Amino acid sequence: MQDYTIFMRRCLELAALGAGKVAPNPMVGAVVVYNGQIIGEGYHERYGEAHAEVNAINNATENGFADKIDQSTIYVSLEPCAHYGKTPPCADLIIRYKIPKVVIGCRDPFKEVDGKGIEKLQAAGIEVVTGILESECREINKRFFTFHTKHRPYIILKWAQTANRKIAAAGTERLLITNEKTNRLVHKWRSEEAGILIGTNTALADNPELTTRLWPGNSPVRLVIDMNLRLPSSLKIFNNHAETIIFNKIKHEQVGNVLFYQITDDLSAAQQIVNALYHLKIQSVIVEGGAVLLQSFIEEKLWDEARVITNTKMKIENGLPAPQLINAVELSADDSTGDLINTFIQAI
């Protein structure tokens, strides 16, 4: 039996290179294989630009193997698209190049594809193999899959705590729990998500900019809960360094790069924000708010992953307790930054 996993792992390695650059599209990698050797490879590099299959086929041509493409197998980590979006259908491209065999990691959950690419290829007489490293292919696009199957963004909760699980001092003094390495890591995390959410008190107390100043990459959309519009325009979240959305109960209007998004009292704020982010096509969000905001998402089961940074050398008395995770499964712990980083997922 042929082992397809070797080339699919290369597809996954290529797909990961698109992290932070292709959303709301998925990360996809593709390789063209002739007689057991890769003759062309590519990945979806940037939103709105060529898909992985296009880049892999072009790369094979550039490498001098144009005459071998119709005798090759193309591997792709996600089902080739079958619709016209920002680019033409990749299934049509594969058919046009007369590639006889396609090996696919997993099916695309997007309603405009969702099996249609596979059907189109098979209808053209192309051999299609599916489900190769399927769980790994789904995992790399967990934000995309969550958005299209659960109709909400992928939600990451993040907080820093002391060794005795306090996230802030009892008074107004700001508590510096993390170190420089961890701060850079948090900015890297921000660059990988579409949005970042905080509450009114965090905005007032910390005056954060919520950008990726310490890491190369795009800054997420800044999402702020300010029900009664108490936040002064002098705060950093109102500068022009990133798009900002203010969730409030007073008005709904666009002012420069700030969208005031009105929500109501008839549904929880967390649920309304999640619904709004889905309609705004914001595919993932990292919640960096205070304990109350974080706990509200936990209690409503509106989270997928929690990243908890613990300063194991710091303890304080009478501080603000950290959120309590419910129905959580621990995935990993990493102390390479000097702080202990635990990652949890919500048990299903």
Side-chain angles (χ1 to χ4, degrees):
M1 181 177 179
Q2 186 172 352
D3 185 3
Y4 298 113
T5 62
I6 296 173
F7 296 118
M8 190 58 68
R9 290 195 189 282
R10 179 54 183 163
C11 290
L12 287 168
E13 290 173 353
L14 291 164
L17 298 176
K21 302 170 188 174
V22 301
N25 283 355
M27 293 178 284
V28 184
V31 296
V32 181
V33 177
Y34 174 74
N35 279 352
Q37 298 294 321
I38 294 176
I39 60 172
E41 59 182 30
Y43 65 98
H44 185 29
E45 299 179 13
R46 193 170 298 278
Y47 174 69
E49 297 182 3
H51 288 187
E53 298 93 323
V54 176
N55 290 329
I57 290 171
N58 287 344
N59 185 238
T61 300
E62 292 165 0
N63 291 338
F65 294 103
D67 60 334
K68 299 293 189 288
I69 294 174
D70 63 358
Q71 305 163 56
S72 301
T73 298
I74 187 167
Y75 289 71
V76 59
S77 56
L78 188 69
E79 176 184 2
C81 59
H83 68 295
Y84 281 87
K86 293 283 184 180
T87 61
C90 291
D92 289 356
L93 177 76
I94 293 169
I95 293 168
R96 188 168 73 248
Y97 272 87
K98 299 180 180 180
I99 298 175
K101 186 173 182 177
V102 181
V103 179
I104 298 169
C106 63
R107 186 164 165 161
D108 190 330
F110 181 44
K111 64 180 181 180
E112 297 294 336
V113 186
D114 196 13
K116 297 182 181 68
I118 293 171
E119 291 172 2
K120 180 176 280 193
L121 294 171
Q122 290 174 330
I126 294 172
E127 180 184 355
V128 179
V129 177
T130 62
I132 306 304
L133 298 181
E134 183 172 4
S135 60
E136 290 92 334
C137 291
R138 290 175 63 92
E139 173 65 20
I140 197 172
N141 281 311
K142 57 190 176 184
R143 295 158 180 81
F144 181 78
F145 274 83
T146 297
F147 189 81
H148 289 288
T149 59
K150 296 184 177 182
H151 306 293
R152 66 164 175 79
Y154 187 86
I155 300 169
I156 299 171
L157 310 179
K158 170 263 168 185
W159 70 84
Q161 62 184 21
T162 64
N164 59 337
R165 301 197 70 256
K166 306 294 182 181
I167 67 169
T172 58
E173 181 182 357
R174 187 176 181 187
L175 184 64
L176 300 176
I177 297 175
T178 56
N179 59 41
E180 290 184 4
K181 288 184 178 180
T182 310
N183 291 339
R184 285 196 296 274
L185 177 62
V186 169
H187 281 231
K188 176 180 181 292
W189 290 346
R190 290 178 180 178
S191 74
E192 295 167 348
E193 309 310 329
I196 179 171
L197 176 66
I198 62 169
T200 307
N201 292 336
T202 299
L204 286 171
D206 299 343
N207 191 18
E209 190 168 3
L210 304 180
T211 58
T212 55
R213 303 177 306 282
L214 304 179
W215 192 267
N218 296 327
S219 291
V221 176
R222 298 178 292 202
L223 311 167
V224 185
I225 302 173
D226 183 17
M227 292 300 195
N228 299 307
L229 297 182
R230 295 191 292 121
L231 298 177
S233 59
S234 58
L235 292 179
K236 294 176 183 177
I237 56 169
F238 292 107
N239 63 27
N240 293 319
H241 295 173
E243 182 184 350
T244 301
I245 299 173
I246 306 293
F247 294 101
N248 71 96
K249 295 192 296 184
I250 297 174
K251 65 180 182 179
H252 194 104
E253 65 176 304
Q254 182 83 41
V255 181
N257 74 322
V258 179
L259 170 63
F260 292 90
Y261 196 104
Q262 189 173 17
I263 59 178
T264 62
D265 289 324
D266 59 352
L267 193 64
S268 74
Q271 187 62 65
Q272 288 187 77
I273 288 168
V274 166
N275 293 344
L277 296 180
Y278 177 72
H279 289 294
L280 291 166
K281 294 182 171 54
I282 293 177
Q283 210 170 82
S284 65
V285 60
I286 183 165
V287 183
E288 287 195 18
V292 174
L293 177 61
L294 288 160
Q295 196 67 49
S296 70
F297 276 81
I298 293 169
E299 291 178 356
E300 296 197 44
K301 299 180 180 179
L302 291 173
W303 68 284
D304 298 285
E305 185 178 329
R307 299 172 184 175
V308 183
I309 303 169
T310 304
N311 185 327
T312 57
K313 297 180 180 179
M314 178 185 290
K315 289 186 178 182
I316 63 170
E317 300 300 326
N318 304 318
L320 181 66
Q324 296 280 343
L325 286 171
I326 302 169
N327 204 27
V329 177
E330 186 170 351
L331 286 183
S332 63
D334 178 7
D335 61 358
S336 61
T337 61
D339 290 328
L340 186 66
I341 302 170
N342 294 89
T343 302
F344 303 86
I345 60 170
Q346 182 177 190
I348 300 175

